[in-house]
Amino acid sequence: MPMDERTRAEVERAEAALVEHYPRLVRLAYLVLPPSMGRHRKVLTAHGLVQRALPWRAPRRPAGALPAQRGADPGAGYDLVRQRTVELALAYEERQRPAVLLPTVPFVWGLRLFPRAGGADELALDQALSAVPAAVRAALGLWQLEGLDADAARAVLVRAGVADPEAAQRAAGQVDRRTAGTAALLNSGEFDPCTVQARPTDLLRRRQRVRATAVLAAVLVAGTVAVAALPGGPPATGPVPTAAQQALDPARLLRTPHEQWAETSRVDFTAWPPRGRQAGDRQLLARALRVWAAPPPGTRIVAAADTSTRPPAAPPRLLYAGLIDNVMVVVLHDGERLVRYAEPEGATPTLHFARVDAADLTSAGGLVIGRGNGWLRYLIAPWVSDVAVRDLLAPEAPPHGLHLAPDGVTDRIPLPPADGVPCGHWPATQFRSSPRIDDRRSFLVTDLGDLAPVHLTYLPSPGAGGPGEATGTPALHSWARTACTLRSLRGTGVRAVNNWAYAQQDLPEGGGTATWVCNRADTWRGPGRAVVQFLPPATGPADPGKTAGRARGTAACSPFGRHVLGDVHWQAKSGKWYLLAAGSSEVAGIDVTGGVRAGAAAATLAVPAGPQAPVRVAGRLGDGRSLLALRP
């Protein structure tokens, strides 16, 4: 409704609704705002635009006119501020920020504000929302946060200027179907800009700015003295650059000699030489360093789980600078993180951070240099001599080789299927190391959304030592049946995933032999996730197994957690149901209590039990300790 048609009563109702439902409105605004703003700016902007959603003033009453009556609909005021909130938040898409919102209020100096971090489900939803337009996020918020039906939500979107509200609602439905419990996740702390954590900004850079301002003032005051100084005196010496200033000097970037990778015992990203045609372009390198140190408004920042986005504290190492699919790319390494700066033509830059400390020959074998709609390109390590692609769901199919550019960039490689898409294939890349530093071993990596690909390994039995490469026939057949479970790990900062075939079990009624696999994912920051999968005899090489148990933040199935136990309900061809359980080699016995009571003095157990029978399964280790089965 135009401003001059609003009555004072309507404005008062809107003000009351805004105050009463302020957290609800700010959460909606925070959801709609572009993820590229960063969480700190999104928090402040969400508060600012909700406070500006209230009409500035009510029109004056004509002389002699009676005061307008308060409407009977108490929700009309809330509808007004919600409509205005959605309009203002949508205006930030494609950098169409309304000038009326500048400067942003509230203004916070010296602190970074961000909502409480959520878990893997919240992270997955946040990544899904980052990939869709603001109109889709608005449609999802009006549906799941506001509880509007399709017609009411469509009306709000139409009034807000959305060109195709039906398409936005369909896309919102797709996001909702790909994410379990969307409404609960959107109401969690991850998306609550009213309950925030505070951290200081970069203290050194802030101190340097204050010092620089003081120095500038001193120079201006002393300018006349400098002009009057006699010529021929000793040359003036400027202040010594600080470490933070040196880190922004492209001339100080570390550059590894091209053949050092074959002459060092530290085979990781520190052994990568600089590559790319723009490796000598100081203007490009300076821009990348400046954006890293102080991202300008609109910069899209993507960070792997638990990866810092702090500015460089010392000159980083240059790994690559060049043009990748019409995008200028610079990759830097500061000893702990990979930082990829992408500069699309005519668009705002992107910074992508990934933690890679303690990388080795395999985990530093490549990085994602470019990514597009359904494809990616790797920049391979200088010690990788051959690259091929294979489908994990087709273990018998041979890999096909990839062409490498002279600077180490691969051809396009298909991406693994996204969530909600049938898992009919899973591309993995097979690297082979150079004989100059290794025995030309092959190893498999796959993409899970971060800069560093994930190393896939296989452990056939407890007595086989540590995990080996997943390139042999048994390993490929094991991964064919478990690869699709990798989708749950996307964007969680995973370094390596191992399949451990910890037990085999003869099934009742001549049902064949089943394999019990513990799928262990290790993150760069340390904690891991374990999933026990039951693999009965399959009709096809890629038939998926059944998840028997899972645990997060655990050492299970790692060198520091070698004992594991799982159980599952299984139906024989006769139609009869059984409870099956299997433990690793040091499990000396299994006890079942609850709806079924049974025991076995062995590492496997099979007893008749209904599919819904509640049970508690515990194992007895050889040293007398007990071990509970992982729960689904």
Side-chain angles (χ1 to χ4, degrees):
M1 181 183 295
M3 182 67 67
D4 57 1
E5 295 179 17
R6 296 192 185 111
T7 66
R8 183 179 300 276
E10 288 174 321
V11 175
E12 290 174 353
R13 283 198 298 271
E15 180 183 20
L18 189 151
V19 173
E20 180 181 359
H21 300 289
Y22 183 79
R24 178 175 162 188
L25 291 165
V26 176
R27 187 186 291 266
L28 177 61
Y30 183 84
L31 171 64
V32 179
L33 286 170
S36 60
M37 297 178 68
R39 294 191 295 172
H40 172 76
R41 290 187 58 232
K42 278 181 64 178
V43 167
L44 296 182
T45 305
H47 284 273
L49 65 85
V50 168
Q51 293 175 24
R52 288 162 178 76
L54 189 68
W56 288 103
R57 66 181 187 275
R60 292 185 176 181
R61 254 191 343 263
L66 295 175
Q69 296 184 2
R70 298 185 184 270
D73 181 9
Y78 180 75
D79 291 344
L80 175 63
V81 291
R82 179 179 60 198
Q83 181 69 45
R84 183 61 176 156
T85 296
V86 173
E87 292 173 0
L88 293 175
L90 286 172
Y92 276 75
E93 184 82 343
E94 302 297 333
R95 297 191 298 169
Q96 297 297 318
R97 181 165 51 186
V100 72
L101 293 185
L102 298 176
T104 299
V105 176
F107 176 76
V108 175
W109 185 82
L111 288 176
R112 304 291 293 177
L113 305 180
F114 48 90
R116 294 194 302 265
D121 293 336
E122 288 85 353
L123 177 62
L125 176 58
D126 185 59
Q127 291 176 334
L129 294 173
S130 301
V132 297
V136 178
R137 297 192 296 273
L140 189 64
L142 293 171
W143 173 24
Q144 295 288 20
L145 290 178
E146 294 296 296
L148 298 183
D149 60 29
D151 292 338
R154 189 179 306 114
V156 174
L157 295 173
V158 169
R159 289 194 296 269
V162 174
D164 193 346
E166 290 84 0
Q169 288 179 311
R170 288 195 299 270
Q174 293 174 355
V175 173
D176 180 74
R177 286 190 294 274
R178 291 197 300 264
T179 307
T182 305
L185 295 176
L186 289 177
N187 281 283
S188 68
E190 175 82 12
F191 299 94
D192 183 8
C194 290
T195 305
V196 296
Q197 296 176 332
R199 294 291 185 274
T201 56
D202 186 81
L203 301 177
L204 290 177
R205 188 163 74 245
R206 198 169 74 204
R207 184 183 300 172
Q208 291 157 13
R209 288 174 178 172
V210 173
R211 185 181 300 144
T213 303
V215 170
L216 178 61
V219 169
L220 292 176
V221 172
T224 56
V225 177
V227 172
L230 292 175
T237 58
V240 177
T242 65
Q245 291 170 335
Q246 293 177 3
L248 303 184
D249 184 357
R252 295 178 181 268
L253 286 173
L254 303 180
R255 295 171 181 260
T256 302
H258 278 269
E259 292 299 314
Q260 183 170 315
W261 61 269
E263 307 293 337
T264 180
S265 61
R266 183 176 177 180
V267 185
D268 59 12
F269 288 108
T270 63
W272 280 41
R275 287 174 286 177
R277 292 187 177 182
Q278 274 68 44
D281 186 342
R282 291 199 175 186
Q283 292 184 347
L284 170 64
L285 300 177
R287 289 198 302 274
L289 291 168
R290 286 198 302 268
V291 171
W292 179 4
T299 302
R300 183 170 179 259
I301 299 177
V302 181
D306 284 352
T307 300
S308 170
T309 60
R310 67 178 183 274
R317 189 178 309 276
L318 175 64
L319 303 187
Y320 187 87
L323 191 66
I324 303 293
D325 296 291
N326 296 320
V327 177
M328 202 62 74
V329 175
V330 176
V331 182
L332 303 164
H333 177 241
D334 69 351
E336 178 187 348
R337 300 167 296 168
L338 290 175
V339 182
R340 179 182 180 270
Y341 167 82
E343 186 182 86
E345 185 176 359
T348 54
T350 297
L351 285 173
H352 198 151
F353 297 84
R355 183 173 174 177
V356 290
D357 48 324
D360 56 19
L361 182 147
T362 55
S363 51
L367 59 85
V368 177
I369 194 69
R371 191 187 297 274
N373 185 18
W375 58 266
L376 63 81
R377 295 184 193 269
Y378 286 127
L379 174 66
I380 65 168
W383 57 82
V384 172
S385 58
D386 299 298
V387 182
V389 175
R390 70 182 315 141
D391 184 0
L392 288 182
L393 301 192
E396 301 294 342
H400 63 273
L402 279 180
H403 173 262
L404 287 176
D407 58 2
V409 176
T410 68
D411 284 345
R412 291 183 176 184
I413 300 171
L415 287 175
D419 294 342
V421 176
C423 188
H425 69 287
W426 194 281
T429 308
Q430 185 167 307
F431 291 168
R432 184 182 294 276
S433 58
S434 167
R436 295 176 63 183
I437 62 170
D438 198 44
D439 55 359
R440 288 187 62 82
R441 65 167 151 165
S442 294
F443 55 95
L444 283 181
V445 299
T446 192
D447 174 68
L448 290 181
D450 291 327
L451 278 181
V454 176
H455 183 203
L456 303 180
T457 57
Y458 176 70
L459 182 61
S461 64
E469 301 306 338
T471 52
T473 299
L476 292 174
H477 280 271
S478 176
W479 272 108
R481 303 190 64 184
T482 58
C484 292
T485 63
L486 291 171
R487 291 197 285 192
S488 64
L489 298 172
R490 187 171 278 119
T492 57
V494 173
R495 172 181 179 174
V497 186
N498 179 54
N499 263 4
W500 173 27
Y502 73 85
Q504 288 192 324
Q505 183 177 21
D506 292 331
L507 298 177
E509 302 184 18
T513 302
T515 302
W516 292 80
V517 172
C518 188
N519 181 262
R520 165 81 190 185
D522 287 314
T523 62
W524 287 97
R525 61 194 183 279
R529 179 228 66 175
V531 175
V532 170
Q533 298 188 60
F534 172 72
L535 307 181
T539 57
D543 283 358
K546 180 177 181 180
T547 299
R550 65 179 73 239
R552 294 184 180 276
T554 179
C557 304
S558 76
F560 307 102
R562 297 181 177 274
H563 311 307
V564 63
L565 176 64
D567 67 90
V568 70
H569 291 274
W570 174 80
Q571 187 179 28
K573 290 183 178 180
S574 65
K576 187 175 181 180
W577 283 90
Y578 291 86
L579 172 69
L580 307 178
S584 49
S585 61
E586 294 191 23
V587 173
I590 299 176
D591 297 312
V592 181
T593 56
V596 176
R597 302 188 68 87
T604 60
L605 173 144
V607 294
Q612 304 300 325
V615 294
R616 180 180 184 272
V617 179
R620 289 176 271 115
L621 299 177
D623 59 6
R625 290 179 296 162
S626 62
L627 175 70
L628 291 178
L630 296 185
R631 305 313 308 159

